[in-house]
Every structure is written in C-alpha cells, then in structure tokens.
Amino acid sequence: MVFFRSVSLLSKLRTRVTQPSSLNNSVRWLQIQSSSNLDLHSQLKELIPEQQERLKKIKSDYGKVQLGNITADMVIGGMRGMTGLLWETSLLDPDEGIRFRGLSIPECQKVLPAVQPGGEPLPESLLWLLLTGKVPSKEQVDALSKELRSRATVPDYVYNAIDALPVAAHPMTQFTTGVMALQVKSEFQKAYEKGISKAKYWEPTYEDSLNLIAQLPVVAAYIYRRIYKEGKVIPADASLDYGANFSHMLGFDDPKMLELMRLYVTIHSDHEGGNVSAHTAHLVASALSDPYLSFAAALNGLAGPLHGLANQEVLLWIKSVVSECGENVSKDQLKDYIWKTLNSGKVVPGYGHGVLRKTDPRYTCQREFALKHLPEDPLFKLVSNLYEVVPPILLELGKVKNPWPNVDAHSGVLLNYFGLTEARYYTVLFGVSRSIGICSQLIWDRALGLPLERPKSVTMEWLENHCKKVAA
C-alpha cells in the first residue's frame, strides 16, 4: 500500500481513501494515521497482534508455495537474486527503486511531515512510517523528536572507549567501537537474563532500538569533532529535529545543510533486507543478539568498499578527475579518464547496483536538491556530465547490467559543497541513517518471532555431482 496523509472525521483510528498516483496508473489504497495518540510504542502494541496473525495465516495457507528455482550461479554468486528474507519495512524493485512501506521517495517527500512546506522529510517521520506503516501527523513526529532527544544521553565510558583508539583510526572503526560500548546498557540483554517471555521480546528491543537511534548522532558527531576539529565538541540543541541536530553537532548550521541532512538520513535509512548491512543485522539478531550487537555487526559490513564505503570512494575519484583534468573538464576528457580507470582494472565508483536496473531514485532526489540549491557548483556540474558520459561507456563494455548511477554517485558532492569535505567520514553518516531501517526491522523480527537464520551450504563436489545428475 502507498500511504498518503488525509483528514478524516469518520474514524477514530484510521481511514482509507483512494487517490491516483502521479508515478503510475494504478489506484492505491491509502491508510492514514488519524489517531490523536502521540506515542509510538502504543501504536506498535496495537499493530503487532494483527501482523502476528497475518504471518501465521501466510505460513498456514501458503507455506508450501514455491517462490522460484535456485541455480548453481546463485549459489556460487553470493545468493544473488534468491528470495529468502522477510523484510517488512521496505521493498526494492529493479525498475521502480526503493519503496518505504509502499511509498516511493518522491511520495515520501510529498506526504511526510517537514519543518516547512515543501521541505525535506523529517527522518523521525520515516521512522514512524517504517515501524507502523502509517504516515504520521506533524504532532506525532514532534512527539517522537522529543522522545529521541530524551534518550540521547551518552555515558562517559563510551567516549572513553573511543578515546582509547588512535585518532588516526578509521571513523568507522571508532563508530563501531562506540556502538559496542553503548551495548553495556542493553535492555534486551537484561530482560533476557531475567527470563522475559518470548511474546514480549519486541518491547526491550524497541527500547534498545530507540535508544540506539537517538544516541548514534551524538557518538558520530563526537568522532567527527575528535578526528577533524581538535576534539572541540558541540553540544546538542534541544530545539532542533533529529537531522538538523546531527548537522549542528557536526558543526554545520547553514539552513540548506540542515535540509540536506534531513534528506540524507531519510533516503539512506533502508534498502530492503538483502544488502550486506541489513542482512548482517538480521542474521546476527536472529541469534537473539541485542540491537547493539546486531547493528555493530552491520556497521562492519557497511564499512566495506563494495557497500557503504563506496560513498567515500566516489568523492575521492571525482577529486582525482579534477586534479588531473581541472574543474572545467570536457566530456571528451571525461571519457578518456573513465577508460583509463576501467583499463587499470578498477570500477567507476557510484555506478551500477546489485538489484536496480535504472537510475537510483536516491540519486535523482539528490540531483534535484543540487539543482535547487547549488546549480552552479563545479563539482555538481562534473557529476551531471558523468551522468551523461559514464552509462554509454559501461554499456559499450557489454558486461554491465546496470550502467546507471546509484546513491553514492551524488551524496559526496553535496556534503562537500556545504563544507563536510572529509570523505573518510561519509560512511559514518550512512551508518547513522541506516540505523532507522535496521532497528525498525529488528523490532518487527522480534514481534513476529522470526527464527534463527540458517541457510544450507554445499561443497563444490556436491554441486558438481548434483548438476551432473540433473543434466543426465
């Protein structure tokens, strides 16, 4: 379902109406949050029982339905394309791109509450959407913002754990260390040791998840100031929302940068369950590891250059283009540099995606932000030229299924424009954002009682023998 805000006087809890989507020809049912209840936890207590029954019915009625055939290529190729995970908060379509609880990014920008009309969605509003499947009111988002601020106090021993590392340690190493230190106060671990009922696992998971989401910007900002700003920490501002406060604690208060941070956190929050960081969190949590342990594991996956570290690599590569060719590089010069990169055995960072077969909508919305706020920026113009030059070259290679730009192709240029130039730090921003999607799903993992993840593995000998039998 796609969810749009509306006003209803006919229902105390929810109303459904229809409205044509500007993005396709189908008519979608709309579910709207019209309850005056501002408490997110209470909303979940209402929703969870019906979703538990829904999952039981799916298992009972359709448990033996086949979802596809597994090939040897899939087994060898990192399980690519296998349908094997339940992930409620978002779905990635190869052609449409990401949908958060049914909403596309343009639809989120249209209906989720913002600070001002026409502004970027507040990350708290997306958190509400991911957890409940409902578009919140501005009052509910404000209440959630206030709750997150009340949970954002970070114990001194977390800073001490980070300070035990060399300042030169990669920001992601310091970030993961901080998350592991936060784990000391895990509510889930305490509840499990006391023998909490399985039916209530989701409640301490909820507490841990909201605490973690609230504390991450504080930890991340501390690391940034420690590494790049001589340790001069900027206190949180209780008047600011989640994204704006994060930007403020980093040291960036330009209103346009606050809007960019709201957009950045929102669009990076979730990307269905099969990517490395999301899958890692789901896998680790399936062993009943608490959200801190699960998210720390996810961050270690995010730190890989084939995943979240790519946003760092893109800006470094773009700056290498400028260093060699100048800011006013021609398209012919760009083509030569791209071929030089490819012929050296490297990839053009920021292009291609494991699932998408079109331009990443997250790239598109960042491009629209740049056209609105920094149309004359030389690096933005370079990114625009790359958009025209790179895909035809990748198609010419004949081996690339998706030659189009992904989210990483654009984010670094925007951050760089507003003064956040330290590319090694960018994956930490990604990590803060991804906590919203990962933690939302972890809460539902517990609520639905999803089991220990344990796929079957085989040897090459088994694979050879099995394929020979099938081919005979």
Side-chain angles (χ1 to χ4, degrees):
M1 289 185 294
V2 171
F3 302 83
F4 290 88
R5 276 186 298 178
S6 181
V7 177
S8 174
L9 301 177
L10 303 178
S11 170
K12 293 182 179 179
L13 291 177
R14 65 183 70 166
T15 303
R16 298 189 181 195
V17 297
T18 55
Q19 180 176 334
S21 168
S22 61
L23 301 183
N24 55 50
N25 295 324
S26 66
V27 176
R28 301 178 182 273
W29 284 101
L30 312 174
Q31 183 174 337
I32 332 115
Q33 175 69 42
S34 57
S35 169
S36 60
N37 194 328
L38 302 183
D39 181 51
L40 181 58
H41 186 272
S42 297
Q43 293 289 313
L44 284 175
K45 288 192 75 171
E46 177 189 333
L47 288 167
I48 283 171
E50 65 183 52
Q51 294 302 311
Q52 289 171 332
E53 289 303 313
R54 181 185 180 193
L55 184 62
K56 286 180 183 177
K57 182 171 176 56
I58 292 173
K59 186 174 181 180
S60 173
D61 294 353
Y62 308 116
K64 303 302 180 184
V65 173
Q66 294 186 355
L67 299 179
N69 297 317
I70 304 301
T71 65
D73 277 342
M74 291 176 175
V75 173
I76 297 167
M79 300 190 290
R80 189 172 297 272
M82 292 184 186
T83 301
L85 286 173
L86 185 62
W87 194 267
E88 284 291 282
T89 51
S90 65
L91 184 67
L92 181 59
D93 183 87
D95 296 313
E96 286 191 342
I98 190 66
R99 285 187 176 272
F100 303 117
R101 290 286 191 170
L103 279 172
S104 69
I105 287 177
E107 289 166 340
C108 283
Q109 290 177 296
K110 178 181 178 182
V111 303
L112 291 179
V115 170
Q116 55 194 8
E120 301 299 341
L122 287 160
E124 300 94 317
S125 67
L126 188 72
L127 174 59
W128 189 291
L129 174 68
L130 294 182
L131 276 172
T132 69
K134 302 175 183 179
V135 173
S137 67
K138 182 61 164 60
E139 292 74 21
Q140 288 167 328
V141 173
D142 289 343
L144 181 54
S145 293
K146 183 177 179 180
E147 180 178 358
L148 289 174
R149 286 194 294 269
S150 73
R151 293 171 177 263
T153 301
V154 174
D156 287 341
Y157 57 77
V158 175
Y159 301 125
N160 293 338
I162 295 169
D163 288 343
L165 295 170
V167 174
H170 194 281
M172 284 297 284
T173 303
Q174 299 189 41
F175 195 37
T176 305
T177 299
V179 172
M180 289 300 296
L182 287 169
Q183 191 272 342
V184 172
K185 290 196 174 183
S186 169
E187 294 296 330
F188 181 84
Q189 183 186 46
K190 294 175 187 175
Y192 186 82
E193 289 173 352
K194 292 179 181 178
I196 187 175
S197 166
K198 187 175 182 180
K200 294 184 177 180
Y201 279 175
W202 76 269
E203 297 200 47
T205 300
Y206 173 91
E207 295 300 322
D208 279 354
S209 295
L210 259 67
N211 286 337
L212 179 59
I213 291 169
Q215 293 166 335
L216 285 176
V218 181
V219 174
Y222 179 83
I223 292 167
Y224 178 78
R225 304 296 300 184
R226 177 179 188 249
I227 297 173
Y228 302 111
K229 303 299 178 181
E230 300 178 345
K232 297 176 182 177
V233 175
I234 299 175
D237 183 339
S239 69
L240 295 175
D241 57 88
Y242 187 87
N245 209 6
F246 185 23
S247 180
H248 165 73
M249 289 186 291
L250 290 170
F252 303 96
D253 291 309
D254 184 324
K256 293 178 182 178
M257 178 60 170
L258 304 188
E259 278 288 87
L260 174 61
M261 192 61 73
R262 293 175 185 122
L263 177 65
Y264 185 101
V265 174
T266 298
I267 66 174
H268 285 81
S269 63
D270 206 27
H271 217 231
E272 77 166 22
N275 64 77
V276 170
S277 56
H279 185 198
T280 300
H282 180 82
L283 170 63
V284 175
S286 78
L288 292 186
S289 297
D290 62 60
Y292 297 96
L293 298 175
S294 304
F295 186 68
L299 287 178
N300 288 326
L302 192 69
L306 294 183
H307 191 16
L309 200 72
N311 58 8
Q312 165 185 313
E313 300 304 305
V314 170
L315 185 62
L316 294 177
W317 184 81
I318 288 175
K319 288 188 173 181
S320 74
V321 175
V322 173
S323 176
E324 183 165 323
C325 305
E327 283 189 344
N328 298 317
V329 56
S330 69
K331 290 183 180 179
D332 285 338
Q333 286 176 302
L334 275 181
K335 290 178 183 178
D336 290 341
Y337 195 87
I338 292 163
W339 277 115
K340 177 182 175 181
T341 298
L342 295 171
N343 290 334
S344 68
K346 300 177 182 178
V347 299
V348 178
Y351 280 76
H353 192 275
V355 177
L356 284 170
R357 294 296 174 261
K358 60 173 283 186
T359 298
D360 192 334
R362 298 173 299 174
Y363 173 94
T364 303
C365 72
Q366 290 182 100
R367 174 173 170 78
E368 290 170 353
F369 184 95
L371 287 169
K372 181 179 180 180
H373 296 296
L374 48 138
E376 300 303 319
D377 178 57
L379 289 186
F380 168 57
K381 291 182 177 180
L382 175 55
V383 166
S384 297
N385 286 336
L386 286 170
Y387 190 20
E388 296 181 26
V389 171
V390 174
I393 291 176
L394 295 182
L395 286 173
E396 186 178 334
L397 286 175
K399 298 180 181 180
V400 180
K401 293 182 180 179
N402 174 22
W404 308 109
N406 58 48
V407 66
D408 298 319
H410 215 307
S411 57
V413 168
L414 296 178
L415 295 166
N416 184 81
Y417 176 82
F418 289 106
L420 211 170
T421 59
E422 298 85 2
R424 291 179 82 237
Y425 183 79
Y426 288 175
T427 312
V428 175
L429 300 176
F430 200 158
V432 172
S433 307
R434 188 51 57 91
S435 69
I436 291 176
I438 285 175
C439 289
S440 295
Q441 182 60 40
L442 289 186
I443 293 167
W444 278 104
D445 286 352
R446 295 285 195 267
L448 297 173
L450 298 188
L452 178 71
E453 186 177 323
R454 182 59 172 86
K456 170 66 177 164
S457 64
V458 296
T459 64
M460 282 196 286
E461 181 182 11
W462 184 97
L463 202 58
E464 288 169 341
N465 291 339
H466 177 78
C467 293
K468 288 176 182 176
K469 288 179 183 178
V470 172

